[in-house]
Amino acid sequence: MMLNNIEKVNKLQLLSYQIYLNTIQQLKAGMNESDIAAIISKEFKVKGVENFWYDVPIIVLIGEDRFLEMKGNYEKKSPSSNHLLKTGVTINVDFTPMDRNGFWGDFSATCVFRPTTDYDFEKVEFLKLMRKIQKDGIQRIKSLNTGRDIANWYLGKFKENNITLVDVRNNLGHSMHQGSKKYPDGGEKRIFIDTGNANPIGEGIFAIEPGGYRKSSLDKNKILVGKFEDCIYIS
């Protein structure tokens, strides 16, 4: 059963990555978040995916200020027509496609649109760092690790690099489950990777999603932001 689950989630993750690549090739200055979300939605629909697991099906955040709103309520993450794409701006996307059987993926990536200035390229280097931290942490995760152990490793790396965590629940990942978020009694299905979870995470599929920001070294009034999310199987 677990192998079957892995294959289904893997299929959704690969599809998400391909749609992300297709989408960034279509970006044009002047587009807003809703425009970009519509492209992503259409791409998924063509591939037979019309349902999404998360409350906000497709998240598109243009700019550093919008990225920081991930620490706020979910409503703020809905795509807006008020935020426009322009040269050098940071874009974060996040989507949770769900297949007809209720299996879902969880993908997020951040990029910089047509970087040109020194500050723009500083953003790019920060994204490389965030991706490296995410991948280095993934290599260390075992089923006997507690959620706290994993979270503290990531938070330690963040501290070393003057990065502040950005997440609405202050977590760095969670388990993946078929169907709804909660059990019939209202209990949470997901196992969260945060400092409050002192239990071993166990075997399963997990989304690893460290997101954060730090101040620019070029301009103290500006910041660098980034988040990447992948799903992995922990044995």
Side-chain angles (χ1 to χ4, degrees):
M1 177 61 72
M2 181 58 72
L3 180 59
N4 184 52
N5 293 358
I6 293 170
E7 290 173 347
K8 288 181 181 296
V9 173
N10 185 55
K11 182 179 179 180
L12 290 167
Q13 289 299 103
L14 290 174
L15 176 61
S16 295
Y17 181 60
Q18 188 58 58
I19 287 175
Y20 166 69
L21 294 179
N22 292 346
T23 300
I24 60 176
Q25 292 174 2
Q26 300 177 61
L27 296 179
K28 296 179 181 179
M31 285 182 168
N32 60 46
E33 293 175 351
S34 297
D35 294 332
I36 300 169
I39 292 173
I40 296 169
S41 178
K42 182 178 179 180
E43 291 265 355
F44 273 116
K45 189 171 292 187
V46 167
K47 296 297 184 180
V49 175
E50 298 190 35
N51 295 314
F52 294 81
W53 179 87
Y54 194 56
D55 300 340
V56 182
I58 297 170
I59 297 171
V60 179
L61 303 172
I62 295 177
E64 288 72 37
D65 290 342
R66 283 287 282 154
F67 184 90
L68 292 185
E69 288 181 355
M70 279 199 283
K71 288 185 74 73
N73 63 53
Y74 296 122
E75 297 298 326
K76 290 183 179 180
K77 293 199 245 182
S78 297
S80 165
S81 60
N82 297 325
H83 300 275
L84 304 181
L85 196 57
K86 59 184 179 181
T87 299
V89 77
T90 300
I91 315 159
N92 174 260
V93 298
D94 194 324
F95 25 87
T96 54
M98 187 164 62
D99 68 16
R100 293 181 177 86
N101 297 310
F103 286 94
W104 51 285
D106 206 345
F107 174 89
S108 183
T110 313
C111 66
V112 180
F113 180 64
R114 298 178 183 172
T116 55
T117 68
D118 288 345
Y119 173 50
D120 296 344
F121 286 106
E122 185 186 23
K123 294 180 187 181
V124 173
E125 291 305 310
F126 181 71
L127 292 180
K128 291 179 182 178
L129 173 62
M130 289 296 293
R131 184 62 159 159
K132 183 179 187 305
I133 291 173
Q134 186 219 21
K135 293 172 74 173
D136 286 350
I138 285 173
Q139 297 301 317
R140 302 170 57 88
I141 300 174
K142 307 294 182 185
S143 61
L144 292 178
N145 293 145
T146 66
R148 179 180 296 163
D149 291 337
I150 301 166
N152 280 335
W153 185 89
Y154 275 111
L155 293 175
K157 288 297 178 182
F158 276 19
K159 186 175 181 180
E160 288 176 18
N161 291 281
N162 299 311
I163 299 169
T164 300
L165 175 67
V166 175
D167 185 84
V168 69
R169 289 191 176 88
N170 291 316
N171 82 95
L172 294 117
H174 55 80
S175 58
M176 304 284 291
H177 299 277
Q178 182 181 12
S180 63
K181 291 181 181 180
K182 300 182 183 296
Y183 292 109
D185 65 0
E188 176 64 62
K189 283 185 179 181
R190 288 173 294 175
I191 298 168
F192 288 105
I193 296 175
D194 60 30
T195 57
N197 181 5
N199 298 314
I201 62 171
E203 178 186 9
I205 303 171
F206 285 79
I208 307 300
E209 53 173 344
Y213 76 95
R214 76 178 181 194
K215 290 184 178 180
S216 165
S217 63
L218 302 176
D219 186 335
K220 65 180 182 179
N221 295 317
K222 294 181 179 179
I223 61 171
L224 314 169
V225 302
K227 175 186 174 183
F228 295 92
E229 182 172 21
D230 295 298
C231 292
I232 61 171
Y233 169 65
I234 304 298
S235 61

